[in-house]
Every structure is written in C-alpha cells, then in structure tokens.
Amino acid sequence: MANGYRIVIGLEVHVELRTNTKIFCSCANRFGAEPNTQVCPICMGMPGTLPVLNKKALEYAIKAGLALNCNIASFSKFDRKNYFYPDLPKGYQVSQFDLPIAHGGWINITGEDGQPKRIGITRLHLEEDAGKLLHEGTDAFSSLVDYNRAGVPLIEIVSEPDLRSPEEARQYLTELRNILRYTGVSDVKMEEGSLRCDCNISLNPVTTDQYGTLVEVKNLNSFRAVQRALEYEVERQAALLDSGCQVKRETRSWDDSAGVTRSMRSKEKAHDYRYFPEPDLVPVAVDQAWVETIRQDLPELPEAKRKRFMQDLGLPPYDAEVLTASQELAAFFEECLAVYDDAKTVSNWVMGELLGYLNQEGLDITASPVAPKQLGELLQLIADGTISGKIAKQVFVQVCQTGKDPQTIVAEQGLRQISDSSQLEGIIAEVLAAHPQVAEDFRSGKEKALGFLVGQVMKATRGQANPQLVNELLRKKLQ
Amino acid sequence: MGLYDMPINNLNKLIASGAVQATEVVEDVFDRIEQVEGKVRAYLTLNKEAALQQARRIDEQVAHGEEIDPLAGVPVALKDNICTKGLRTTCASRFLESFQPPYDATVVERLRARGAVILGKTNMDEFAMGSSCENSAFFPTHNPWDLQRVPGGSSGGSAAAVAAGEAVYALGSDTGGSVRQPAALCGVVGMKPTYGFVSRFGVVAFASSLDQIGPVTRNVQDCALVMNAICGRDPLDSTSADIAPPDFTSFLTGNVKGLRLGVPKEYFAAGTDPAVADAVRAAVDKLCELGAVAEECSLPHTEYGLSAYYIIATAEASSNLARYDGVCYGRRDEVRADLLEMYLHTRKNGFGPEVKRRIMLGTYALGSGYYEAYYLKAQKVRTLIRRDFEQAFQKYDVLVAPTSPTTAFKIGERTEDLLAMYMTDVCTLPVNLAGLPGISIPCGFKDGLPIGLQLIGRQFDDGRLLQAAYAFEQNTDFHQRRPQLDGTGR
Ligand SMILES: [Zn+2]
C-alpha cells in the first residue's frame, strides 16, 4: 500500500494504575462512580493543598518498568507540565520530564518475517490523570466537568520509532497490554480508558534513512482503531508524497465512523508546557533492594510462558500464543494439564470446546462454568476408553450447563462406552441380518460399505459402542 | 497594661488559674480592635462570635479543673493566606473574595488543638506579593507607629495587629522576608523557621520552595511558645522535615557566652540607612558585652540574591496561581463566548497589577528558550548563596544583619519605583533561598520608627536564634515600647 516508502511508527501509551487510592490524595481510584463523588480538596486543586506521593503507585510504575525490561532510575523527580484546561484543576499536571522513573526497555513482537522483533521502549514515567469534560445536557456555552479521574495514577510508556507497519503497531499494543495485565498493575481496558494510545507516524522514501515529517494521531479508542487509523495515515501520506506534496507536521484526530483522520492543530502552535521541577514533592530515591523485591514479585510474563509452552510442552506457536493471551487462560490450561497430562489434547479442548463455548455465551475465562479439573477428568474418560470423543463433547456441554462432574453425568445417563465384544456381537448380527445386500457389497470389495454398517451399529447403541471395536468385529464377521 | 497587651505566658496563667476568663480576654482584645482598627486597618475578616465560643470552651475546661495548653485561650490573628475551615480566606485578592475553605491549614489545626482563640484574618499584599501591604486588593494597612507609613509586607496586617495590640500574637508567611520585614517595621518579633519545620499544608502557595509560616509576637518568649505549637512533621506536606523539634523555650537561658557571631558586610551595602546600620552594630556590641564574640564576615554572592529570588519566586508563582481559572472555585466572570474569553476576563479582573506582573515574569522565565538562561541560572545562584551560608556557619553560630535596610516608608512612596520596593527585602530573601531560619527583633528607633535586628541561623538550629534574641531582649527595652495610638491610655 505504500510502495517505495518506509513506515516509521512510535506509540505513546497511557495506562491507569489500579491502586486503591489516587496518586497524591486518599480519594478512591474507582471507575464508573457518580460524577465528582471521588474527589477532595487536594485532587480539586484547592488553594493551599499539597500532593503526597502514593507509594503503591510508585511500586506499580516500577513493576511495569521491570516487566518491560526497563532500567529503574535510582533518582527520579516530578515536574509540573503547565497548561490551562478545565479538566486540569491546578492548571498544571504533575508529571515527570527529564528524570523518568524507568527508561531503556523493550518488548518482543513477531516481525513480518515471523522472527521475533525487539521494539525499544524509550521511557516510562509516572503522572496524574486529568478529569473528564462532559457535554451532555449543556448549551453551546457550557460544559460539565467530572473530577473523579483527576489524580488517578497514570504511567506513560513511550516506544522507540521501531514499528514498521500498522500490523506491528497492533502487535506491540497487544503484547504491551498482555504484559501489563499479567503484572496486575492495570485493568488495561481501552473501552474504560484505562489504556489510551497516541501514535506518531511518518513515511520516508526507502532510498533515504532520514525520517519523514511526523504526524501525531489521537482519539484512538480501540486496538482496531489504532490499526485502521495508521493504515489510513500510510495511504494519506503516501498519496501526498507520491504527488510531490509535503506532509504537514500536525496532530490529527481519528474519526472512527468516517474512517478518516482530521487535522486538530498544527504543531507550530504547539503548547509551551514550561516544565519545571515540582517544588511540592521531594525527589524520588528508589532503593535497589526494593526494586529487587518487586522484581522477585513479578509473575511469569507472556513471552516466557509462550516459550515454556512450546519448548517444555511441545505446543505449536499458535497454541502457545492463544493460551497465553491472558494469565487466567494460561492458568486454566495448566491446572487442566495437572489432571490430564497430554498438552496438545488439553490445548485442543481449551482452544476448541472451551473457548468456543465461552465465546458463544459471552463469558470471560474467569467466569468459566467448567473447572479445569472437570475438563481434565473428561479427557481422562476419553483416554481410558470410558467414553468416546463424540460422547465427550456432549458431556462437556452438560458439564457447562449443570456444573456436574463428567463422571456423574456419564454414570447418570449411562453413557459409558460399550467395549465388551459379547455385548456387541448380538447387535452386529442383527445389523447384518437387516442389511444383507450391504454386507454382500463389502465382501465383494466395496470398502465404503463397512462405514454404513458401523454407523448402523453406533445408531443401535445410541453412540455408546466403541467404534474401533465395532470396526474390528464387523471385519471378522464378514471375512 | 490591658489584657490585650500581655505576653502569652502571663495571659495563659491568668486564664488557667481562673483569675481572668478567656472570654474577658477576647472581649478586651475586641475592645482594643474597636478603638484602633479604624486607623490601622489590620484585619480583613473578624471572627468575634467564633472566638467567644472558643473562649467559653476554655473557660469551661478551667471551671472543670482541667489543665490547659500554654496557648489555650490566647487570641491569635492569622494572615489571610492561611486556610481556615468555614472562615473566609481571601489572600487579599478579589479572586478569593468569598472563598471559604472546607479545611484548616495544618498550622491552624495545631493551634485549634491547643485551644487557641482565632480573632480573624489579617490584611496582606495580594497572594503575599509585596513588601508594604499596599498590594491588598481591599485597602492598605497603616503602620501603628506612624499611620502615614506602611507596616511592611506582605504580612503587614499580622505585624500591625500585634504592634497595635489588636492581637496577642499572629501568624504570617515568609517567602522573601514577609514575616521579618513587617515585624522590623512595626517593632515586633517575627520569625521565619527553617524551611520544612512548619507544614505548608493549607497555606495558599506563592512560591512553594520558599514559603514558610512563622510567628509574629511582642517578645521572644512568645515566639518560642508559638514555635513549639507550629513546628513538626506533617504527613500532608511532603517537604516537611522528619525532624522532631526541640522545646524552643529551653533555649531562653539569657546566656550567649562564647556564641560566635558573624556580621556579613554585604548586608550593610549602599542604600542601608546609616541609622539602621548603627543600631545593628550597637546590637552586636551589646551581644558581645553579654559574652558573644563577633567579627565581620562575607557572603560574596549576596548581590545576586535579589535577581535569583525574583526569577524563582515568580516562576513558581506563575504555576501556583494557574489554578485560579474560574472553573472550580473563586471568582468567575461569566462570558458567554468561549473558554479562553472566560479565562481572560476572570484573571484580568481577579488579579491586581503586581500579581499579574509576577505571573508574567515567571511565565517568561520558564518559557522554552529562556528556561536555561533564567530559571536554571537562578537555581545555580541559589546553590551558591546556600554555599556562602554553609561556609559562614563553619565559623559562626549566628549571623547578624539588618532585617530591612530602612525603617518604614511612606504609603505610596515606593509604589512607582518597583526596584526600590523590591530592595526592601534584600537582607531577608537570601535566607529563604537557603532555607535557613531567621528572626527579626526590635533593636532601636529612628525618628520614632522601629529598627529590626535580623539573626540568621543554621538549618534546624532555630533554637539558637531564640537563645541570642532572648539574651538581647532581656538586656534592652526596645520591645517594651508601644506605638502611641490616640486614646490608648489604658
Ligand atoms: Zn482527592
């Protein structure tokens, strides 16, 4: 789509930290409360009030930094970013300018060539969120402001300009979200605004190494929007460059319903934020021992888990990818594996039957009606020949619906597979008597005819006959 | 001597013994206010009903035989940039003309917990920006020693109220000399504690890295008692020091034997009134007579202090005052045009000229392209000034200097000459830049106007200043003189 151009993308991701209280006051950090009920004089920026850093927010920022392979600064500080807007009660945002809490990290994605590709993370810093403007039920001259979000702790994660396609950007975001979700520092829900993403994108002719003019894209409310907006920008900028025009350095806003980006403000008139050190807070000295404690506390992260699933359990990359998409799903898989240790079979059932069912019912893995142990036991029943795979699928649905254990369902409904040849021989005789012509066809070499006969036996046993055994017995009889 | 004119200690003892009721004290102070306030105009808001109520509580405690705190029942005035729950806190600005904080500043909470009786809120330069109280958006305060003259600033209302007997003591805030300079000009004691010793929570910020609350009293012992009440770590202020303050009254020994005094020559530069210089040198001689040893010393970077101060203070102020945007509280000029128009009108009409001037200066100093040349350089100067002091304190225990280069000037005299106005704080603001403690005590008079002696100490060595100040006070009588306001012969 952009032949002859190199695409250069960098992302700025804001993530709300899931602390109990806000970053500089003791108000609850809670999404979805009635407007202006989670506020106090401090987060409303009233005269004389002062911030006190929530240590948990610092801990979470460090945790996120470590999970993203960053260096944690032993000395860091806060700065004021000055600008006027009604959602910003103090007229400045407390942020970090030149000494962020973490820097120099990376995460891996799968590159275009299928090989792992390392995407650099320039920095990660801690700051406070602003409130939210509401325009419902107001006239053209007024707006309403909700300050519940003002002072919610945020981390801003800035990537290096290492991404080379909208698809890579989507992958980076997905991996970033997974990692942060694993660490538990955030809900990372784009629809609730706990993860927000701005993109920087430029195109330059492949004949040069020099970056093209940077365009910032904002107002991206889903991963899909990020990818679509970037794809749109690639087309737009390539068309401009093709026709000999210049790309303007500006900020553009994504209009999701129209599927286009629109100019917001040109960068020439950009804000001068007049950053300076926040005099109301003391610099942050981070003890190395504390950092190590937090590092010890990190869970196994998605990439390590994927590697283990492939190398130790022999799963294909696709399975490993799907199963590690969330920590809860991976845990489900592993708990199941503890009961029934054939990884590939468990993987097939989790990805197929389980995710299929959850998807159909609109449920999250955490709300699965089937316990991992139950699925493991079900697979055990197949393995020891108690039930057939086909019956197992029915049992699975019943476990989902009733919550009963697979063994109970099999026993109650007499679903146990008939593997006793003496029990089957009578039925086989009846089937052959009823279909003499088919039996004759088989004898005369029509291999297919056997399938029909097996089907008739299965039908007569309501699917409970062991199909392999039926097959053997029929062949013997027809010889 | 009326009750209103008594030291904290004596009043408190009378109240505790039941000899005098706290309500009587309050009534007496309000009588005094009624007599002289029309001339002095120290208060922006009076709080008589609540004060009487609080006094009644103290009287009940005494009646029940309960022990009361050394500050209980003693009436105090608060500078109007110190937030008081439910009591108007204006910063002498149109912007906050009807602002009632829903919280008490930590210092107020501490005073209340000790049974202090809050008389009202005192006048000041708008948002503490000024040295004469003339920048109040409401009215100027007059110096009780000469009503044609300024009381100094920005805590001019607090100093004038204490000098005129309209409060037993007061709190002010000192960003560049705003407690010490008006104390000097009004002939009372004013102290700026070490930065971090007193919580800034609830004190409306002017320049966060310089602001510090301090007592204004009529003698050094009162000052020590108030220091005992207001100093100490506050979890609500991240910059408050985690150091347990001493009992400041324990320094009131009267003994200065062997105390090493440094007299920085730069603090007697051109522009210093010779009478002020003489009074300060005489005070040094007095302290030496009492056993201290003194020599001249140098703080070589002093001359850069004023410039550095006006960059750092205005830079911080430009950001601190951004919150007055008409959105959440305070003044809003309803302009049915757009957001920018609302901001512009609100801030144009809400702030006085000096506040606007400083916001503009500070905004400029932080602007991209100027930050290094101004703000960063000023911070470097600040470091040099701090080092000057550190070096001096290797040799000396206390530095002695004038508080203000001159005595009180006439109202209107310097309003057109900003540099002259800014020079008023030249001897006090380096102390804020270095975060050190400083105290001003009366040390003489020129043509009936008080002269202030400034003592500067090491970080968290505030007690030593009180020690020297007390010894001086015990051997002089400057603190006992009172301004002659007509009809005060009680
Ligand atoms: Zn709050």
Side-chain angles (χ1 to χ4, degrees), chain A residues 269-281:
Chain A
K269 283 184 270 169
H271 275 115
D272 177 359
Y273 290 118
R274 293 176 285 118
Y275 279 101
F276 77 103
E278 163 60 289
D280 287 334
L281 288 166

Side-chain angles (χ1 to χ4, degrees), chain A residues 45 47-48 51 80 82 92 272 280, chain B residues 103 202 238 319-320 323 329 368:
Chain A
R80 291 187 184 175
N82 296 285
Y92 58 82
D272 177 359
D280 287 334
Chain B
Y103 45 90
S238 310
S319 175
N320 281 333
R323 69 190 64 204
Y329 49 79
S368 82

Side-chain angles (χ1 to χ4, degrees), chain A residues 22 25-27 38-40 42-43:
Chain A
K22 292 186 178 181
C25 65
S26 53
C27 287
Q38 317 293 309
V39 296
C40 72
I42 297 170
C43 55

Side-chain angles (χ1 to χ4, degrees), chain B residues 220-266:
Chain B
V220 175
Q221 187 180 40
D222 284 4
C223 185
L225 285 168
V226 179
M227 284 289 283
N228 276 351
I230 64 175
C231 286
R233 163 102 184 129
D234 177 12
L236 293 179
D237 177 357
S238 310
T239 63
S240 98
D242 200 3
I243 289 178
D247 173 4
F248 290 103
T249 60
S250 71
F251 291 89
L252 310 180
T253 57
N255 184 358
V256 287
K257 277 210 177 59
L259 194 74
R260 297 168 302 169
L261 308 176
V263 184
K265 59 181 183 200
E266 291 81 3

Side-chain angles (χ1 to χ4, degrees), chain B residues 419-432:
Chain B
L419 203 58
M421 184 71 93
Y422 290 177
M423 285 300 285
T424 309
D425 293 331
V426 73
C427 296
T428 45
L429 54 83
V431 179
N432 297 75

Side-chain angles (χ1 to χ4, degrees), chain A residues 41 45-52 80 82 84-86 89-92 139 141 147 272 274-277 279-282, chain B residues 99 103 200-203 208 235-239 319-320 322-324 327-329 336-337 339 343 363 366-368 371:
Chain A
M46 295 188 94
T49 59
L50 296 170
V52 175
R80 291 187 184 175
N82 296 285
F84 285 95
Y85 204 62
K90 297 187 293 295
Y92 58 82
D139 60 28
F141 298 106
Y147 292 106
D272 177 359
R274 293 176 285 118
Y275 279 101
F276 77 103
D280 287 334
L281 288 166
V282 288
Chain B
F99 176 65
Y103 45 90
R200 291 185 297 115
F201 186 85
V203 180
S208 313
L236 293 179
D237 177 357
S238 310
T239 63
S319 175
N320 281 333
R323 69 190 64 204
Y324 307 111
V327 176
C328 279
Y329 49 79
R336 290 180 75 78
L339 180 64
Y343 282 155
T363 303
L366 289 175
S368 82
Y371 182 84

Side-chain angles (χ1 to χ4, degrees), chain A residues 59-258:
Chain A
E59 182 190 319
Y60 279 10
I62 292 171
K63 197 168 192 177
L66 290 172
L68 300 173
N69 305 297
C70 290
N71 299 306
I72 305 302
S74 55
F75 183 87
S76 162
K77 70 176 171 66
F78 287 94
D79 301 273
R80 291 187 184 175
K81 180 180 180 178
N82 296 285
Y83 65 96
F84 285 95
Y85 204 62
D87 66 4
L88 196 65
K90 297 187 293 295
Y92 58 82
Q93 178 192 29
V94 178
S95 180
Q96 296 194 290
F97 183 54
D98 55 343
L99 294 173
I101 185 69
H103 64 276
W106 48 266
I107 60 180
N108 282 335
I109 62 167
T110 309
E112 311 257 87
D113 53 1
Q115 292 303 305
K117 178 174 172 182
R118 179 174 284 202
I119 307 299
I121 288 169
T122 318
R123 57 182 282 163
L124 178 154
H125 73 249
L126 192 52
E127 62 187 22
E128 59 179 339
D129 208 344
K132 225 187 234 171
L133 251 57
L134 308 164
H135 303 281
E136 298 145 30
T138 57
D139 60 28
F141 298 106
S142 53
S143 301
L144 301 171
V145 200
D146 175 8
Y147 292 106
N148 283 352
R149 207 178 67 180
V152 164
L154 278 184
I155 47 174
E156 179 176 329
I157 302 156
V158 182
S159 84
E160 290 288 313
D162 288 346
L163 299 160
R164 291 289 170 269
S165 70
E167 165 57 20
E168 285 191 1
R170 191 196 57 77
Q171 273 199 40
Y172 166 83
L173 265 184
T174 308
E175 185 66 8
L176 181 65
R177 181 186 59 183
N178 281 354
I179 292 170
L180 294 176
R181 195 187 274 156
Y182 268 56
T183 61
V185 302
S186 173
D187 295 329
V188 281
K189 286 182 184 159
M190 221 165 171
E191 62 277 16
E192 287 183 6
S194 58
L195 184 151
R196 282 165 256 158
C197 174
D198 297 334
C199 305
N200 290 315
I201 176 168
S202 70
L203 263 59
N204 63 276
V206 289
T207 49
T208 163
D209 276 342
Q210 248 184 332
Y211 291 146
T213 307
L214 197 82
V215 170
E216 191 180 6
V217 185
K218 286 182 178 288
N219 193 34
L220 301 161
N221 298 317
S222 66
F223 282 24
R224 201 172 129 68
V226 171
Q227 193 172 0
R228 283 176 68 208
L230 288 171
E231 280 163 0
Y232 175 85
E233 271 303 304
V234 170
E235 298 275 8
R236 188 184 71 86
Q237 294 183 25
L240 280 174
L241 296 171
D242 282 345
S243 60
C245 293
Q246 300 233 314
V247 171
K248 207 167 104 196
R249 183 171 167 82
E250 62 181 349
T251 301
R252 297 179 71 87
S253 175
W254 172 246
D255 180 337
D256 204 63
S257 51

